[in-house]
Structure formats: C-alpha cells, structure tokens
Amino acid sequence: MGKVIVALDPPEGVNPLDWVKQRYTSLKDLAEGFKVGLPLTLRVGLGKLNEVFRDYDGLLIADLKLADIGDIMVNVLEGLSKTKVNGVIAHAFVGYEDGVGKLALKSKELGIKLITVVSMSHKGSLEFMDKHLNELVELSIKAGVWGVVAPATRPDVVKRVRALAGDKLKILTPGVGFQGAPPGVGICAGADYEIVGRAITSAADPIKAFHDIVLKQEEAIKECVS
Ligand code: XMP
C-alpha cells in the first residue's frame, strides 16, 4: 500500500524499545519497509532491535550512513548480516576504490541492499555533496548499488538523479511531511519510495497518519502522471 518506508526515530524522553515495538506492530502490514538509524540502535542495541523485527520479512534498512574505509564498512555489513537487516545506507563520497566498490561487492554476497547517499535535505548538502552529484550517482551506478537517497525537499535534485540513473537505481526520498515536502513530490520527481518519519510516528494515531500520507501520495501521483 503506497510507497512509504517508515523511519523509526524515537524522540527523547520515551522508552525507545516500547516506542518502536508499538509502531512496528501497527505499521508492519502497511509500510513498504522500515528504516532504523544510529540514535535508535545506540539507545536499544542491535540485539534488542533485531528481536523487534524477528518475524519481519519486509525491507529493513539500517541507516548507518557508513563513511569509512571499505574493510571496516565490510565488517559492519557482516555484523548486520546476522540480523533481520536487509538494507544499509552508506555515503557515496568516500569513493569507489577500497570504499563503496568493496562494500558493494560484499553487500551482493550477503544479500543486503546497498543504498548510497548522493544528496541530502539539509542546507550543508549544497556545500560539497551537491557540487558532485553527477559523480556520486555515476559512482553508485558503477558499484551496482541497489539504490540511492536524494531529498524530496528538492525535487529538482531527484529529477536529475533519475535522469542520470535511468532504471539502474532505486531512489529513496526522505523529507516528506515534517521537513516540508508534500507526500508524492518525491515519487513525481522519479523516486521509487518516500521515507516518512515523524509525520507518521509522532502522530497520536500512526495508522491514520500513515493512511493520510498514502492518500495524499496517491492523489499527487494521479495528478503528476495525468
Ligand atoms: P522525518 O521525521 O524528517 O525523518 O520524516 C526523515 C528520516 O530520514 C532521514 N533523512 C535523511 N537521510 N538524506 C538522508 O540520507 C537526507 O537528506 C535525509 N533527510 C532526512 C532522517 O535521518 C530520518 O530518519
């Protein structure tokens, strides 16, 4: 239903494990997948987090924004391969040789979808990353990654990524809802999925919030394809 990956980032002051369990249970049959990040993993630990998802067969992305030398990123991937995680986010800017290239080979061997960041929603992305957008996308294609992250808050960037990548890459777009991008804008610009966090997870009724987002997404998609 819809093209929504839910970002699970518990706010301060909640029990993170209970918070995640509740939202996972409510949304597991609705979402295309989940994204878990460093703050959550550090708060609850990978073992406990893995327990929450033990029966899940959907897309479970660890948003670790890896940016190390290849050998170390491969170590991280090997650790993740013992869990239910089946997707991982790494930075493309570390380069191909002994970096993303090495990680991409290991990710294929382990059956973990590698997703690289080529642009981000915050303003600082313009300082370095966006100046190298074409190269970051080309590197990602060369490495044969599964997908890339680009911001729904800047649909022009998503369009550029799609034009460069053709159908060689999935595009995942965060920034929908809380950061201001309306649902559907990423998909209309060429993305495959929209990543939505707080607009769903902070709502009093996350299931209703999920359905509202999907409805708006579907309406926007109808408009942009017609
Ligand atoms: P919200 O609550 O803003 O959550 O819907 C968004 C989620 O996506 C992540 N995020 C990004 N990740 N590039 C990324 O790789 C970005 O431009 C970007 N913007 C937001 C954020 O970590 C959160 O989990």
Side-chain angles (χ1 to χ4, degrees):
M1 183 192 286
K3 294 163 185 290
V4 176
I5 293 172
V6 177
L8 294 169
D9 301 306
E12 283 302 314
V14 300
N15 177 317
L17 205 52
D18 291 346
W19 186 97
V20 159
K21 277 183 196 161
Q22 283 160 8
R23 279 145 190 87
Y24 166 67
T25 307
S26 306
L27 300 167
K28 66 181 164 56
D29 297 324
L30 302 173
E32 283 286 316
F34 293 96
K35 183 176 85 66
V36 292
L38 265 180
L40 172 62
T41 313
L42 290 172
R43 278 169 80 182
V44 307
L46 188 56
K48 285 218 172 79
L49 192 55
N50 192 42
E51 271 296 292
V52 175
F53 293 95
R54 64 178 178 275
D55 299 325
Y56 191 56
D57 291 318
L59 187 55
L60 179 59
I61 299 169
D63 185 0
L64 302 181
K65 301 250 168 40
L66 296 173
D68 212 320
I69 57 170
D71 287 341
I72 303 301
M73 295 196 287
V74 160
N75 283 351
V76 175
L77 212 59
E78 276 165 347
L80 291 175
S81 73
K82 300 177 179 81
T83 72
K84 297 295 288 189
V85 167
N86 51 23
V88 70
I89 297 182
H91 270 295
F93 65 65
V94 296
Y96 182 86
E97 291 297 334
D98 288 335
V100 175
K102 205 167 211 175
L103 181 64
L105 276 181
K106 188 52 120 181
S107 73
K108 281 176 204 150
E109 188 188 315
L110 294 174
I112 295 178
K113 293 179 167 73
L114 179 60
I115 302 153
T116 46
V117 182
V118 295
S119 174
M120 297 182 77
S121 54
H122 71 303
K123 285 191 188 142
S125 186
L126 302 173
E127 294 169 23
F128 299 106
M129 292 183 67
D130 284 63
K131 291 180 183 161
H132 299 279
L133 181 70
N134 291 15
E135 293 146 287
L136 295 173
V137 174
E138 280 157 16
L139 179 155
S140 302
I141 294 169
K142 179 177 167 189
V145 308
W146 179 76
V148 295
V149 184
T153 46
R154 289 188 292 127
D156 52 315
V157 173
V158 180
K159 283 182 190 159
R160 268 179 70 194
V161 175
R162 179 52 79 206
L164 288 164
D167 60 4
K168 296 191 184 101
L169 298 172
K170 302 284 182 200
I171 303 177
L172 289 70
T173 50
V176 169
F178 209 86
Q179 290 184 68
V185 77
I187 304 288
C188 286
D192 298 278
Y193 303 100
E194 292 182 347
I195 297 173
V196 186
R198 290 162 290 181
I200 294 172
T201 60
S202 301
D205 183 347
I207 296 180
K208 181 178 176 310
F210 181 94
H211 285 299
D212 289 348
I213 294 269
V214 168
L215 197 65
K216 287 185 189 146
Q217 199 185 52
E218 286 171 351
E219 280 167 5
I221 295 168
K222 241 185 259 163
E223 283 286 308
C224 72
V225 295
S226 64

